[in-house]
């Protein structure tokens, strides 16, 4: 079991973050200490469940946001099995004092001890609450149920567990077999996945990944590693990576082929990270542009590209376990709104594709409304466009699995 002494401090940091997400604030790009990150993310993965438990146990009106979030975090700590039950109760009461929730100490103690006493009856009640049982919003579950009638429960379950950690070996620095041997030499178990990946048996902090600072590897999900291979790259091509920040797929493109790469992102601060990532990996520089892919007249200067990667903004429903705040932040109306934006991006990028060129449409979504529906509508509106089989031979839709997250790819060709 973990030492309890640090739990109160982690609760003090995690509870405001969880309360912020419940109130509509994203966790994107937040740098967190490992203990705080684990507590925050694991609590958020339990959407529906932890609020239902507090509601079942609380005899007062709904507690204020920070106190409620503290209870959610404490309940996760109890369920995790990492701490003795008495330690969680004690450390959460101490956290109340540190958060200046002086009058809540007795209430917190009563709720947590009540959960320990009444756990079987509470579990029986939660079994009849779909949102608590599957830990996703009801509208999300309805989309999954309609799209995947035989597998929606497994997809929902995949969104509630810790994500896998996969490394992408930089073939310009070291061979995959040699790097795997380096991992083995340090007692780090991994196995090959895809063309460049090594899936770690146990995740570890990036600071402990051998050769990371030297540019030998990057952390990238195996599903995301498909993108560069599905572009069907050739040396000398002009390539546009639209929506490129923070640059993981841009880097993979340059690892695979000597191309002239333009990396575009609408967020100037995030776009600045692309160059730093390429520099760490020892790759040729890209032409990094801060601009809106929907407004190419402002940045394209008449350029045409043989390959375009359109990794479009989406619901992130395929990576919910990695970005658990999306369960709390997304709304049902966001899905059709994303589909409209995605269609606009495709329409804006299509004129930039050279005759005979290929555009790869990519999302990290499992919602068909953002995937097949968008691509089908685009091809129907552009009679010359032709959808091709993916070069890696895989399916367009990858659903979340223990080895990888959920991603969607469609390769579209413009006639010569």
């Amino acid at each position: 079991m973990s030492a309890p002494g640090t739990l109160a401090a982690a609760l003090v940091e995690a509870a405001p973050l969880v309360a912020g997400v419940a109130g509509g604030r994203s966790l994107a790009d937040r740098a967190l200490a490992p203990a705080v990150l684990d507590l925050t993310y694991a609590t958020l993965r339990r959407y529906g469940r932890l609020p239902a438990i507090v509601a079942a146990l609380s005899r007062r009106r709904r507690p204020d946001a920070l106190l409620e979030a503290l209870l959610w975090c404490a309940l996760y700590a109890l369920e995790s099995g990492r701490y003795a039950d008495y330690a969680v109760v004690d450390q959460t009461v101490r956290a109340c004092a540190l958060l200046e929730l002086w009058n809540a100490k007795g209430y917190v103690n009563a709720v947590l001890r009540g959960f320990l006493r009444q756990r079987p009856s509470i579990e029986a009640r939660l079994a009849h609450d779909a949102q608590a049982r599957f830990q996703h919003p009801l509208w999300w579950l309805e989309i999954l149920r309609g799209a995947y009638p035989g597998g929606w429960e497994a997809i929902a379950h995949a969104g509630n567990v810790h994500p896998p950690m996969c490394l992408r070996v930089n073939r310009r620095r070291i061979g995959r077999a040699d790097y795997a041997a380096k991992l083995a030499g340090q007692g780090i178990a991994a196995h090959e996945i895809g063309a460049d990946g090594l899936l770690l048996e146990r995740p570890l902090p990036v600071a402990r990944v051998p050769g990371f600072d030297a540019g030998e590897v990057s952390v990238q999900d195996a599903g995301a590693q498909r993108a560069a291979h599905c572009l069907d790259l050739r040396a000398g091509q002009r390539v546009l990576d639209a929506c490129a920040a923070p640059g993981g797929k841009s880097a993979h493109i340059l690892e695979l082929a000597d191309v002239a790469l333009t990396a575009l992102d609408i967020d100037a601060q995030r776009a600045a990270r692309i160059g730093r990532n390429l520099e760490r990996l020892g790759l040729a520089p890209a032409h990094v542009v801060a601009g809106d892919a929907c407004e190419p007249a402002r940045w394209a200067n008449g350029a045409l590209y043989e390959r375009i990667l359109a990794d479009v903004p989406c619901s992130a429903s395929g990576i919910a376990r990695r970005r658990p705040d999306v369960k709390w932040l997304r709304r049902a109306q966001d899905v059709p709104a994303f589909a409209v934006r995605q269609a606009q991006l495709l329409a804006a990028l299509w004129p930039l594709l050279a005759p005979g060129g290929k555009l790869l449409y990519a999302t990290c979504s499992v919602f068909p409304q953002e995937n097949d529906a968008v691509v089908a509508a685009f091809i129907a509106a552009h009679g010359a466009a032709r959808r091709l089989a993916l070069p890696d031979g895989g399916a367009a839709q990858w659903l979340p699995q223990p080895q990888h997250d959920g991603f969607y790819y469609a390769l579209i060709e413009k006639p010569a």
Side-chain angles (χ1 to χ4, degrees):
M1 286 191 175
S2 300
T6 59
L7 179 57
L11 287 166
V12 166
E13 290 192 58
L17 294 170
V18 171
V21 170
R25 293 198 296 273
S26 172
L27 282 178
D29 298 325
R30 292 293 299 264
L32 303 175
V36 177
L37 186 146
D38 175 73
L39 186 57
T40 302
Y41 277 49
T43 297
L44 292 173
R45 288 188 192 105
R46 284 153 177 78
Y47 176 97
R49 176 179 174 80
L50 300 179
I53 293 173
V54 172
L57 291 167
S58 182
R59 295 182 179 178
R60 60 161 67 176
R61 60 190 175 93
R62 184 173 179 177
D64 66 58
L66 180 58
L67 177 55
E68 188 171 31
L70 176 63
L71 285 168
W72 296 343
C73 293
L75 287 165
Y76 159 68
L78 285 173
E79 293 193 322
S80 72
R82 295 184 180 183
Y83 308 91
D85 292 346
Y86 76 88
V88 174
V89 177
D90 173 71
Q91 292 289 299
T92 308
V93 171
R94 293 190 185 191
C96 284
L98 294 171
L99 290 168
E100 299 184 358
L101 299 170
W102 310 106
N103 296 328
K105 294 165 71 173
Y107 167 69
V108 165
N109 183 74
V111 168
L112 297 182
R113 292 189 181 279
F115 171 69
L116 293 172
R117 288 194 308 270
Q118 303 173 43
R119 192 166 184 174
S121 63
I122 291 173
E123 293 291 355
R125 186 185 308 182
L126 297 186
H128 300 287
D129 180 339
Q131 190 164 264
R133 180 183 173 193
F134 295 105
Q135 299 172 60
H136 285 70
L138 292 177
W139 65 264
W140 190 314
L141 296 174
E142 287 303 312
I143 294 178
L144 293 182
R145 188 180 287 113
Y148 310 100
W152 68 273
E153 293 186 12
I155 298 170
H157 175 72
N160 301 333
V161 299
H162 197 285
M165 184 173 182
C166 188
L167 305 179
R168 186 190 75 237
V169 179
N170 180 1
R171 58 175 66 185
R172 292 185 183 267
R173 284 284 171 93
I174 189 171
R176 180 163 65 173
D178 290 337
Y179 185 79
K182 178 181 288 192
L183 289 181
Q186 297 193 29
I188 301 172
H191 66 264
E192 294 184 356
I193 186 169
D196 303 298
L198 286 169
L199 186 66
L200 303 186
E201 285 192 9
R202 297 176 64 87
L204 70 159
V206 172
R208 290 179 48 206
V209 174
F212 182 86
D213 290 338
E216 293 179 348
V217 292
S218 297
V219 179
Q220 187 181 43
D221 187 78
Q225 292 183 35
R226 296 184 67 198
H229 288 283
C230 287
L231 274 170
D232 192 24
L233 297 166
R234 299 288 185 273
Q237 289 176 333
R238 290 162 296 177
V239 180
L240 171 64
D241 182 1
C243 315
K249 296 181 179 71
S250 288
H252 199 191
I253 288 169
L254 292 172
E255 289 170 7
L256 295 182
D258 295 317
V259 299
L261 177 66
T262 296
L264 174 76
D265 201 88
I266 195 170
D267 187 323
Q269 285 189 316
R270 297 186 77 236
R273 296 170 59 186
I274 299 171
R276 295 195 293 270
N277 279 332
L278 300 184
E279 184 178 359
R280 177 183 66 83
L281 294 162
L283 299 170
H287 177 47
V288 179
V289 179
D292 187 345
C294 278
E295 299 181 358
R298 294 178 176 270
W299 52 266
N301 298 318
L304 294 179
Y305 301 91
E306 282 82 28
R307 297 290 185 270
I308 295 178
L309 172 59
D311 187 11
V312 298
C314 69
S315 64
S317 54
I319 59 170
R321 59 188 175 191
R322 200 174 298 277
R323 285 278 315 279
D325 56 343
V326 302
K327 294 185 187 181
W328 302 74
L329 301 176
R330 296 285 184 257
R331 300 293 182 265
Q333 60 267 29
D334 293 337
V335 179
F338 274 121
V340 170
R341 175 68 171 171
Q342 291 152 358
Q344 291 171 342
L345 284 164
L346 276 177
L349 292 170
W350 187 247
L352 305 183
L353 187 65
K358 298 174 183 178
L359 181 151
L360 183 69
Y361 176 82
T363 77
C364 54
S365 173
V366 296
F367 296 157
Q369 297 92 324
E370 301 179 89
N371 296 334
D372 276 340
V374 171
V375 172
F378 175 79
I379 291 177
H382 297 77
R386 186 166 68 100
R387 184 168 179 175
L388 305 175
L390 295 173
D392 69 354
Q397 180 72 73
W398 270 20
L399 298 175
Q401 301 289 337
Q403 301 83 8
H404 58 74
D405 291 335
F407 286 88
Y408 175 88
Y409 297 105
L411 187 63
I412 307 170
E413 183 181 52
K414 178 181 283 189

